[in-house]
Amino acid sequence: MSFGTAEYKERILKTRERMAAEGIEVLLITDPANMNYLSGYDGWSFYVHQMLVIIIDEEQPIWIGRGQDANGAKVTTWLYHENIIPYPDDYVQSETRHPMDFVAEILKQIGQQNRFIGVEMDNYYFTAKCYEQLKKGLPNASYRDASLLVNWVRIIKSDTEIEYMKRAAKIVEKTMAAGIELVNEGVRECDVAAKIFHTQITGTDEFGGDYPAIMPLLPSGERTSTPHLTWTDQRYKSGELVILELAGCYKRYHSPLARTVHIGQPSEKIKSLSEVVVEGLNTCLDMIKPGIACEEIEEAWRKSIEKSGIIKESRLGYSMGLNYPPDWGEHTASIRKGDKTILQPNMTFHLIPGIWLDQYGFEASESFRVTENGCETFAELPRHLYIKEASLSNI
């Protein structure tokens, strides 16, 4: 397990406190990050239905999942083996039976059919079909939306979690440096991606890396006008911008980082955009401290860039840490106007003030933790626009 049993039990206790406050007696957790956080379960099995059941008056959670994954639960969790309940394989992707039918039957057998049940209504892993089958199998239960209940428990990290994110930052420093070094005229985008993957997984001499929740985002040229494109097999050209948004990952904990490269000498408008973004990023990092609201960071950014005439419509950042594909964000606090979440020590965020215009864009980001007196970035890498002299020697 990634943590000691005592830490898992403390997380369960905090989760039960939130359940009680929201009138939830049985919590069905299907988000794999939340399952991992509370039990340690770690497997690439989230493409089939699985869950962790937290019962407010029971000490141990119950893991329910596919039969062939049950030994994975025994290997990676702190749960008693009798609390690991597998369903037969004929429930998998069947048109006649559904895993939630099995879950409903288990809950009836242990007397939970008439309780207030919380479900993660709005996550990637709990479908409309799941909800319909649960209601059909447990018609006398009362259902509550518990989409972010555990996510909010996760928002303040333990010292061990912070250490894992610092290790992830060491990995992303190496990964970003390797990517920037290889980007040049004539080099294929896919070869840069391959180098990034290799560095992400090999990690450092002291510790290896894990697969990140998001693939390397590597738009180039006009594609930098939008943030969420990956790579192609095209070769880079002189005069192109290349954005690299990557993460190091260690024991499922992430440290994202974004930097931008220009092949050849950039135009004045590109240099100006990079300076505006970096100045705004530095302004935000200098003012972050416990006790302020997320929206105050966004306000500082907005005031910093207003003289440039640039307007950023999207949020400035978000809470992040432990996660699985397709996202490393925690879906709780956002750095944007109107978010009044108060910063506390050991909250962790990805601050990504990217600007995407009609023909090009620029990104420079930092992952940081809130400290007792301010904040500290996880990675250490210059934030400026990286300029590569165009050269065909890399073809």
Side-chain angles (χ1 to χ4, degrees):
M1 296 185 299
S2 299
F3 302 89
T5 301
E7 184 156 342
Y8 288 116
K9 287 184 175 181
E10 178 66 20
R11 295 170 179 181
I12 292 287
L13 178 62
K14 291 178 180 178
T15 300
R16 285 207 194 95
E17 289 172 354
R18 282 188 173 266
M19 290 169 62
E22 297 185 22
I24 294 171
E25 296 172 303
V26 180
L27 179 61
L28 308 183
I29 299 167
T30 52
D31 184 323
N34 291 338
M35 292 177 65
N36 177 291
Y37 183 75
L38 295 174
S39 74
Y41 182 70
D42 184 22
W44 193 283
S45 55
F46 42 83
Y47 66 95
V48 296
H49 295 298
Q50 57 185 15
M51 70 169 53
L52 196 71
V53 182
I54 308 294
I55 301 173
I56 198 162
D57 43 15
E58 295 287 343
E59 179 183 1
Q60 276 254 347
I62 298 170
W63 180 94
I64 302 176
R66 187 179 184 181
Q68 62 183 243
D69 296 315
N71 280 344
K74 293 176 182 178
V75 168
T76 61
T77 75
W78 63 281
L79 307 181
Y80 299 138
H81 287 188
E82 55 264 34
N83 281 36
I84 295 170
I85 303 175
Y87 60 76
D89 215 60
D90 55 3
Y91 280 89
V92 176
Q93 297 167 5
S94 168
E95 294 184 0
T96 59
R97 43 194 357 202
H98 193 277
M100 293 305 133
D101 303 336
F102 183 89
V103 170
E105 185 58 34
I106 293 297
L107 293 178
K108 283 190 286 189
Q109 289 178 13
I110 60 176
Q112 306 300 314
Q113 68 272 22
N114 298 320
R115 305 194 84 175
F116 288 95
I117 296 178
V119 292
E120 296 176 314
M121 296 285 286
D122 190 20
N123 75 44
Y124 307 117
Y125 317 90
F126 187 78
T127 66
K129 182 73 170 179
C130 287
Y131 189 45
E132 289 301 314
Q133 293 304 118
L134 272 177
K135 290 194 297 181
K136 186 182 298 183
L138 299 170
N140 296 322
S142 298
Y143 294 91
R144 302 282 173 87
D145 184 0
S147 295
L148 296 176
L149 189 150
V150 180
N151 301 58
W152 280 106
V153 175
R154 289 163 46 194
I155 196 168
I156 297 177
K157 310 301 186 291
S158 69
D159 290 342
T160 303
E161 290 178 290
I162 295 297
E163 176 59 30
Y164 289 170
M165 295 178 76
K166 288 181 175 180
R167 293 187 180 190
K170 294 297 182 185
I171 294 171
V172 82
E173 288 173 358
K174 287 189 62 177
T175 303
M176 184 63 75
I180 291 172
E181 181 182 18
L182 188 54
V183 167
N184 214 326
E185 183 179 7
V187 176
R188 295 190 307 170
E189 295 179 11
C190 55
D191 291 331
V192 174
K195 181 68 173 180
I196 286 168
F197 276 117
H198 180 267
T199 312
Q200 282 176 322
I201 305 308
T202 54
T204 73
D205 291 339
E206 292 78 25
F207 45 83
D210 208 341
Y211 61 88
I214 300 178
M215 293 294 100
L217 302 175
L218 295 168
S220 64
E222 275 195 336
R223 292 160 63 89
T224 61
S225 63
T226 186
H228 298 135
L229 301 181
T230 54
W231 61 88
T232 73
D233 62 356
Q234 298 299 305
R235 296 183 185 274
Y236 294 117
K237 300 179 180 65
S238 179
E240 283 188 332
L241 278 166
V242 181
I243 290 175
L244 301 91
E245 184 181 342
L246 321 169
C249 185
Y250 181 77
K251 292 185 182 292
R252 305 303 329 137
Y253 284 83
H254 292 76
S255 181
L257 191 68
R259 293 292 185 267
T260 303
V261 177
H262 194 277
I263 302 172
Q265 287 301 310
S267 66
E268 287 302 315
K269 62 183 182 180
I270 289 175
K271 286 196 290 186
S272 176
L273 176 62
S274 70
E275 290 164 1
V276 167
V277 172
V278 172
E279 180 183 350
L281 175 58
N282 291 337
T283 297
C284 291
L285 291 170
D286 287 343
M287 59 82 64
I288 292 169
K289 60 183 179 181
I292 68 171
C294 284
E295 66 176 359
E296 294 179 63
I297 307 173
E298 192 277 338
E299 182 181 11
W301 156 264
R302 202 162 7 97
K303 289 180 178 178
S304 172
I305 69 167
E306 63 184 1
K307 61 183 178 292
S308 70
I310 293 172
I311 298 174
K312 178 176 171 62
E313 299 290 349
S314 56
R315 63 181 177 172
L316 198 63
Y318 46 83
S319 178
M320 59 82 208
L322 163 71
N323 231 320
Y324 287 80
D327 187 18
W328 54 51
E330 290 179 329
H331 300 186
T332 49
S334 288
I335 301 174
R336 61 183 169 199
K337 188 176 182 179
D339 193 316
K340 301 186 184 301
T341 303
I342 300 300
L343 299 188
Q344 299 179 57
N346 277 9
M347 286 185 175
T348 56
F349 290 85
H350 185 207
L351 178 60
I352 180 166
I355 296 292
W356 304 280
L357 304 176
D358 288 341
Q359 302 297 322
Y360 60 91
F362 179 87
E363 289 183 37
S365 78
E366 294 290 350
S367 293
F368 70 87
R369 79 174 181 102
V370 182
T371 63
E372 294 295 332
N373 302 305
C375 79
E376 67 173 356
T377 60
F378 283 109
E380 296 182 9
L381 203 68
R383 299 175 190 136
H384 56 73
L385 173 65
Y386 288 76
I387 300 173
K388 305 293 291 285
E389 292 298 329
S391 172
L392 293 174
S393 63
N394 291 302
I395 295 179

